[in-house]
Protein backbone atom coordinates (compact mmCIF):
# COMPACT_ATOMS: atom_id res chain seq x y z
CA UNK A 1 0.00 0.00 0.00
CA UNK A 2 1.17 3.48 -0.75
CA UNK A 3 1.03 6.12 1.92
CA UNK A 4 -1.14 9.21 1.72
CA UNK A 5 0.53 11.97 -0.31
CA UNK A 6 0.70 14.81 2.20
CA UNK A 7 0.16 14.16 5.87
CA UNK A 8 -1.00 17.75 6.45
CA UNK A 9 -3.88 17.58 4.01
CA UNK A 10 -4.83 13.94 4.57
CA UNK A 11 -7.48 14.68 7.15
CA UNK A 12 -9.29 17.26 5.04
CA UNK A 13 -9.78 15.06 1.99
CA UNK A 14 -13.12 13.28 2.23
CA UNK A 15 -12.68 11.54 -1.13
CA UNK A 16 -9.99 11.51 -3.76
CA UNK A 17 -9.76 10.16 -7.29
CA UNK A 18 -6.28 9.76 -8.75
CA UNK A 19 -5.73 9.21 -12.48
CA UNK A 20 -9.13 7.57 -12.59
CA UNK A 21 -10.18 6.02 -15.90
CA UNK A 22 -13.30 4.12 -16.85
CA UNK A 23 -13.65 2.43 -20.19
CA UNK A 24 -16.88 0.82 -21.35
CA UNK A 25 -16.97 -1.83 -24.07
CA UNK A 26 -14.20 -2.62 -26.51
CA UNK A 27 -13.35 -2.35 -30.18
CA UNK A 28 -16.07 -0.50 -32.08
CA UNK A 29 -18.12 0.13 -28.97
CA UNK A 30 -15.22 1.29 -26.76
CA UNK A 31 -16.08 4.46 -24.82
CA UNK A 32 -13.62 6.27 -22.57
CA UNK A 33 -16.10 7.62 -20.01
CA UNK A 34 -13.37 8.89 -17.67
CA UNK A 35 -9.89 9.76 -18.86
CA UNK A 36 -7.32 9.98 -16.03
CA UNK A 37 -9.38 12.18 -13.73
CA UNK A 38 -7.71 13.42 -10.56
CA UNK A 39 -9.85 15.34 -8.09
CA UNK A 40 -10.13 15.90 -4.33
CA UNK A 41 -13.37 16.47 -2.47
CA UNK A 42 -12.67 18.32 0.75
CA UNK A 43 -14.40 17.83 4.05
CA UNK A 44 -17.24 20.24 4.84
CA UNK A 45 -17.27 21.45 1.25
CA UNK A 46 -20.15 21.37 -1.23
CA UNK A 47 -18.91 20.45 -4.70
CA UNK A 48 -21.01 20.39 -7.85
CA UNK A 49 -19.93 18.33 -10.86
CA UNK A 50 -21.10 19.78 -14.15
CA UNK A 51 -20.60 19.14 -17.83
CA UNK A 52 -22.46 18.33 -21.03
CA UNK A 53 -24.58 15.21 -21.28
CA UNK A 54 -22.32 12.17 -21.69
CA UNK A 55 -19.25 13.96 -20.28
CA UNK A 56 -18.85 11.37 -17.51
CA UNK A 57 -20.49 13.06 -14.51
CA UNK A 58 -22.51 10.06 -13.35
CA UNK A 59 -19.62 7.69 -14.06
CA UNK A 60 -17.27 9.80 -11.94
CA UNK A 61 -19.75 9.96 -9.08
CA UNK A 62 -20.52 6.25 -9.24
CA UNK A 63 -16.84 5.27 -9.32
CA UNK A 64 -15.87 7.57 -6.43
CA UNK A 65 -18.89 6.42 -4.40
CA UNK A 66 -18.00 2.76 -4.83
CA UNK A 67 -21.14 2.03 -6.86
CA UNK A 68 -19.21 1.10 -9.98
CA UNK A 69 -15.82 -0.39 -10.77
CA UNK A 70 -13.15 1.60 -12.59
CA UNK A 71 -10.60 0.56 -15.18
CA UNK A 72 -7.40 2.16 -13.88
CA UNK A 73 -6.35 4.67 -11.25
CA UNK A 74 -7.42 4.79 -7.62
CA UNK A 75 -10.16 6.12 -5.39
CA UNK A 76 -10.14 6.65 -1.69
CA UNK A 77 -12.90 7.55 0.75
CA UNK A 78 -11.29 9.02 3.84
CA UNK A 79 -8.20 6.88 4.27
CA UNK A 80 -9.64 3.78 2.61
CA UNK A 81 -8.53 2.77 -0.89
CA UNK A 82 -11.61 1.35 -2.63
CA UNK A 83 -9.48 -0.82 -4.91
CA UNK A 84 -8.17 -2.72 -1.88
CA UNK A 85 -11.65 -3.75 -0.69
CA UNK A 86 -13.50 -6.99 -1.26
CA UNK A 87 -17.16 -6.76 -2.29
CA UNK A 88 -18.44 -7.22 1.24
CA UNK A 89 -16.12 -4.57 2.64
CA UNK A 90 -17.15 -2.18 -0.13
CA UNK A 91 -20.82 -2.74 0.68
CA UNK A 92 -20.11 -2.02 4.32
CA UNK A 93 -18.14 1.12 3.50
CA UNK A 94 -20.97 2.40 1.31
CA UNK A 95 -23.47 1.69 4.06
CA UNK A 96 -21.45 3.17 6.91
CA UNK A 97 -19.61 6.08 5.35
CA UNK A 98 -21.57 7.29 2.34
CA UNK A 99 -24.99 8.86 1.91
CA UNK A 100 -26.78 8.79 -1.44
CA UNK A 101 -29.47 10.96 -2.98
CA UNK A 102 -30.73 10.11 -6.45
CA UNK A 103 -33.02 11.80 -8.93
CA UNK A 104 -35.71 9.20 -8.21
CA UNK A 105 -36.38 9.42 -4.49
CA UNK A 106 -36.05 5.66 -3.98
CA UNK A 107 -38.24 5.50 -0.88
CA UNK A 108 -39.99 2.32 0.20
CA UNK A 109 -43.75 2.91 -0.23
CA UNK A 110 -44.80 0.72 2.70
CA UNK A 111 -42.61 2.51 5.24
CA UNK A 112 -43.31 5.81 6.97
CA UNK A 113 -41.06 8.81 6.42
CA UNK A 114 -39.23 8.12 9.69
CA UNK A 115 -38.82 4.43 8.88
CA UNK A 116 -37.40 5.35 5.48
CA UNK A 117 -34.98 7.79 7.08
CA UNK A 118 -33.60 5.23 9.50
CA UNK A 119 -33.80 2.21 7.17
CA UNK A 120 -30.11 2.13 6.13
CA UNK A 121 -29.07 2.28 9.78
CA UNK A 122 -31.65 -0.36 10.75
CA UNK A 123 -30.24 -2.66 8.07
CA UNK A 124 -26.73 -2.00 9.35
CA UNK A 125 -27.87 -2.71 12.89
CA UNK A 126 -26.80 0.73 14.04
CA UNK A 127 -28.71 2.93 16.42
CA UNK A 128 -29.27 6.46 15.15
CA UNK A 129 -27.78 9.25 17.26
CA UNK A 130 -31.10 10.67 18.47
CA UNK A 131 -29.90 14.24 18.87
CA UNK A 132 -28.39 14.28 15.39
CA UNK A 133 -31.46 12.68 13.86
CA UNK A 134 -33.73 15.28 15.47
CA UNK A 135 -31.55 18.05 14.12
CA UNK A 136 -31.60 16.60 10.63
CA UNK A 137 -35.36 16.07 10.66
CA UNK A 138 -35.91 19.57 11.93
CA UNK A 139 -33.58 21.03 9.33
CA UNK A 140 -35.48 19.44 6.46
CA UNK A 141 -38.80 20.45 8.03
CA UNK A 142 -40.28 16.98 8.34
CA UNK A 143 -41.11 16.98 12.05
CA UNK A 144 -44.87 16.99 11.41
CA UNK A 145 -44.82 14.33 8.70
CA UNK A 146 -42.79 11.50 10.14
CA UNK A 147 -45.67 9.01 10.16
CA UNK A 148 -46.72 9.79 6.57
CA UNK A 149 -46.03 7.30 3.82
CA UNK A 150 -44.33 8.45 0.59
CA UNK A 151 -47.65 8.46 -1.31
CA UNK A 152 -48.96 10.99 1.21
CA UNK A 153 -46.07 13.35 0.55
CA UNK A 154 -45.31 15.71 -2.34
CA UNK A 155 -42.26 15.12 -4.54
CA UNK A 156 -40.36 17.83 -2.70
CA UNK A 157 -41.25 16.31 0.67
CA UNK A 158 -40.21 12.86 -0.54
CA UNK A 159 -36.84 14.18 -1.60
CA UNK A 160 -36.50 15.83 1.81
CA UNK A 161 -36.98 12.37 3.31
CA UNK A 162 -34.22 11.12 1.00
CA UNK A 163 -31.96 13.99 2.13
CA UNK A 164 -32.64 13.16 5.77
CA UNK A 165 -31.97 9.48 5.06
CA UNK A 166 -28.62 10.37 3.49
CA UNK A 167 -27.70 12.53 6.48
CA UNK A 168 -29.04 10.24 9.22
CA UNK A 169 -25.92 8.14 9.70
CA UNK A 170 -23.61 11.20 9.72
CA UNK A 171 -21.77 9.87 6.67
CA UNK A 172 -18.28 10.98 5.71
CA UNK A 173 -19.59 12.12 2.37
CA UNK A 174 -22.91 12.47 0.56
CA UNK A 175 -23.25 11.94 -3.17
CA UNK A 176 -26.21 13.20 -5.16
CA UNK A 177 -26.82 12.48 -8.85
CA UNK A 178 -29.17 15.18 -10.16
CA UNK A 179 -31.01 15.25 -6.79
CA UNK A 180 -33.29 18.06 -7.94
CA UNK A 181 -33.83 16.70 -11.45
CA UNK A 182 -37.38 15.56 -10.69
CA UNK A 183 -38.46 18.57 -8.66
CA UNK A 184 -40.15 21.84 -9.55
CA UNK A 185 -37.88 24.83 -9.06
CA UNK A 186 -39.27 25.76 -5.65
CA UNK A 187 -38.91 22.27 -4.17
CA UNK A 188 -35.54 21.99 -5.86
CA UNK A 189 -34.40 25.21 -4.22
CA UNK A 190 -35.52 23.89 -0.84
CA UNK A 191 -33.59 20.65 -1.22
CA UNK A 192 -30.50 22.55 -2.39
CA UNK A 193 -30.86 24.85 0.60
CA UNK A 194 -30.87 21.81 2.92
CA UNK A 195 -27.77 20.39 1.27
CA UNK A 196 -26.13 23.81 1.58
CA UNK A 197 -27.08 23.99 5.29
CA UNK A 198 -25.91 20.46 5.96
CA UNK A 199 -22.46 21.59 4.83
CA UNK A 200 -22.50 24.99 6.51
CA UNK A 201 -24.19 24.09 9.79
CA UNK A 202 -23.53 20.38 10.20
CA UNK A 203 -20.11 20.19 8.56
CA UNK A 204 -21.18 17.54 6.08
CA UNK A 205 -19.39 16.94 2.79
CA UNK A 206 -21.55 16.94 -0.33
CA UNK A 207 -20.76 16.10 -3.94
CA UNK A 208 -23.62 16.69 -6.37
CA UNK A 209 -23.91 16.05 -10.08
CA UNK A 210 -26.13 18.56 -11.84
CA UNK A 211 -26.59 20.09 -15.25
CA UNK A 212 -28.40 23.11 -13.80
CA UNK A 213 -26.29 26.26 -13.28
CA UNK A 214 -28.76 27.54 -10.68
CA UNK A 215 -28.33 24.33 -8.65
CA UNK A 216 -24.54 24.48 -9.04
CA UNK A 217 -24.54 28.01 -7.63
CA UNK A 218 -25.49 26.56 -4.22
CA UNK A 219 -22.13 24.78 -4.13
CA UNK A 220 -18.80 26.11 -2.83
CA UNK A 221 -17.01 24.84 -5.88
CA UNK A 222 -17.90 23.56 -9.33
CA UNK A 223 -15.82 21.04 -11.24
CA UNK A 224 -16.43 20.88 -14.99
CA UNK A 225 -16.12 17.71 -17.02
CA UNK A 226 -15.94 17.41 -20.79
CA UNK A 227 -15.24 14.19 -22.66
CA UNK A 228 -14.29 12.38 -19.48
CA UNK A 229 -11.75 14.97 -18.34
CA UNK A 230 -11.79 17.76 -15.81
CA UNK A 231 -11.45 20.91 -17.86
CA UNK A 232 -12.24 23.67 -15.40
CA UNK A 233 -13.03 24.48 -11.81
CA UNK A 234 -14.49 27.50 -10.05
CA UNK A 235 -14.91 28.50 -6.41
CA UNK A 236 -17.81 30.67 -5.25
CA UNK A 237 -19.90 30.05 -8.37
CA UNK A 238 -22.89 32.09 -9.44
CA UNK A 239 -25.46 30.82 -11.94
CA UNK A 240 -24.13 33.33 -14.47
CA UNK A 241 -20.46 32.45 -14.04
CA UNK A 242 -21.32 28.75 -14.33
CA UNK A 243 -23.37 29.34 -17.47
CA UNK A 244 -20.51 31.30 -19.03
CA UNK A 245 -18.03 28.55 -18.26
CA UNK A 246 -20.37 25.86 -19.61
CA UNK A 247 -20.75 27.68 -22.89
CA UNK A 248 -17.03 27.58 -23.38
CA UNK A 249 -16.40 23.97 -22.47
CA UNK A 250 -14.60 21.95 -25.11
CA UNK A 251 -16.96 19.43 -26.67
CA UNK A 252 -19.96 21.26 -25.28
CA UNK A 253 -23.08 20.73 -27.33
CA UNK A 254 -24.62 23.74 -25.69
CA UNK A 255 -22.28 26.35 -27.08
CA UNK A 256 -23.95 29.62 -27.79
CA UNK A 257 -23.63 30.49 -31.46
CA UNK A 258 -21.27 33.39 -32.16
CA UNK A 259 -22.95 36.58 -33.27
CA UNK A 260 -21.47 38.29 -36.32
CA UNK A 261 -21.16 42.07 -36.71
CA UNK A 262 -24.83 42.36 -37.69
CA UNK A 263 -26.01 40.33 -34.70
CA UNK A 264 -26.78 37.23 -36.76
CA UNK A 265 -25.81 33.80 -35.53
CA UNK A 266 -23.15 31.95 -37.50
N1 LIG B 1 -23.16 1.14 -18.94
C1 LIG B 1 -22.58 1.79 -19.96
N2 LIG B 1 -22.14 1.13 -21.06
C2 LIG B 1 -21.55 1.76 -22.08
N3 LIG B 1 -21.32 3.08 -22.11
C3 LIG B 1 -21.71 3.80 -21.06
C4 LIG B 1 -22.37 3.20 -19.93
N4 LIG B 1 -22.65 4.17 -19.02
C5 LIG B 1 -22.20 5.32 -19.55
N5 LIG B 1 -21.64 5.12 -20.76
C6 LIG B 1 -21.02 6.14 -21.63
O1 LIG B 1 -20.02 6.81 -20.90
C7 LIG B 1 -20.05 8.21 -21.18
C8 LIG B 1 -20.29 8.97 -19.90
O2 LIG B 1 -21.61 8.69 -19.40
P1 LIG B 1 -22.23 9.35 -18.10
O3 LIG B 1 -21.24 9.24 -17.00
O4 LIG B 1 -23.55 8.75 -17.88
O5 LIG B 1 -22.36 10.88 -18.53
P2 LIG B 1 -23.20 12.07 -17.85
O6 LIG B 1 -23.65 11.61 -16.52
O7 LIG B 1 -22.25 13.22 -17.82
O8 LIG B 1 -24.33 12.35 -18.79
C9 LIG B 1 -21.11 8.40 -22.24
O9 LIG B 1 -20.51 8.39 -23.50
C10 LIG B 1 -22.01 7.20 -22.05
O10 LIG B 1 -22.66 6.87 -23.24
MG1 LIG C 1 -25.63 11.41 -15.69
Amino acid sequence: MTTTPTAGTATTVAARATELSKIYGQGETRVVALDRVSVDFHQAEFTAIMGPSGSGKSTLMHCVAGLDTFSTGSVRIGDTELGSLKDKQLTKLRRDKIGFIFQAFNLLPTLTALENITLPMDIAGRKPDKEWLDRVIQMVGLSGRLSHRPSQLSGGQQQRVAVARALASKPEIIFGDEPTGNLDSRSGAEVLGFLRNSVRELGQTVVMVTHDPVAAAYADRVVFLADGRIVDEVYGPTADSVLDLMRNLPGSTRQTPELDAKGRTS
Side-chain angles (χ1 to χ4, degrees), residues 53-54 56-59 62 177-178 209:
S53 180
K57 302 181 296 294
S58 294
T59 304
H62 290 163
D177 195 354
E178 306 268 2
V209 168

Side-chain angles (χ1 to χ4, degrees), residues 230-243:
I230 291 184
V231 291
D232 217 332
E233 177 180 22
V234 63
Y235 272 89
T238 63
D240 284 339
S241 69
V242 168
L243 203 54

Side-chain angles (χ1 to χ4, degrees), residues 22-245:
K22 171 79 178 180
I23 293 155
Y24 289 109
Q26 43 183 300
E28 295 278 282
T29 62
R30 188 173 187 269
V31 176
V32 180
L34 292 178
D35 187 6
R36 288 162 293 155
V37 169
S38 294
V39 63
D40 284 354
F41 299 111
H42 299 109
Q43 258 172 32
E45 195 168 87
F46 186 177
T47 306
I49 300 174
M50 295 200 82
S53 180
S55 58
K57 302 181 296 294
S58 294
T59 304
L60 176 61
M61 197 206 94
H62 290 163
C63 288
V64 175
L67 290 170
D68 202 351
T69 56
F70 40 91
S71 306
T72 58
S74 65
V75 172
R76 65 176 239 227
I77 297 285
D79 290 329
T80 309
E81 289 286 345
L82 297 196
S84 71
L85 300 181
K86 300 196 169 63
D87 278 357
K88 259 193 182 160
Q89 295 171 306
L90 190 58
T91 304
K92 187 167 157 26
L93 174 125
R94 273 201 307 263
R95 207 176 56 196
D96 295 344
K97 302 203 167 165
I98 304 178
F100 294 99
I101 307 165
F102 296 99
Q103 188 170 340
F105 318 129
N106 293 335
L107 304 179
L108 287 188
T110 55
L111 300 184
T112 66
L114 181 61
E115 287 164 348
N116 268 288
I117 291 168
T118 58
L119 182 65
M121 303 196 69
D122 292 340
I123 291 172
R126 284 170 63 195
K127 272 220 182 331
D129 172 342
K130 177 100 174 49
E131 212 172 293
W132 171 264
L133 195 60
D134 285 348
R135 243 177 114 185
V136 165
I137 288 167
Q138 199 157 15
M139 187 188 79
V140 299
L142 281 170
S143 304
R145 296 199 162 71
L146 291 177
S147 56
H148 288 51
R149 287 177 210 287
S151 62
Q152 300 170 305
L153 299 171
S154 69
Q157 289 167 341
Q158 290 184 56
Q159 194 64 316
R160 289 197 231 164
V161 174
V163 170
R165 178 180 58 188
L167 284 164
S169 65
K170 236 190 236 189
E172 284 195 17
I173 187 163
I174 292 175
F175 292 99
D177 195 354
E178 306 268 2
T180 57
N182 268 338
L183 302 179
D184 60 71
S185 59
R186 204 183 125 207
S187 307
E190 276 172 9
V191 163
L192 290 162
F194 298 139
L195 291 176
R196 173 67 273 174
N197 288 345
S198 79
V199 172
R200 194 177 292 158
E201 292 167 22
L202 308 177
Q204 284 287 304
T205 306
V206 176
V207 177
M208 168 183 78
V209 168
T210 181
H211 64 261
D212 176 6
V214 174
Y218 282 78
D220 297 308
R221 168 198 185 207
V222 184
V223 169
F224 294 88
L225 278 178
D227 295 328
R229 295 191 188 142
I230 291 184
V231 291
D232 217 332
E233 177 180 22
V234 63
Y235 272 89
T238 63
D240 284 339
S241 69
V242 168
L243 203 54
D244 272 353
L245 281 160

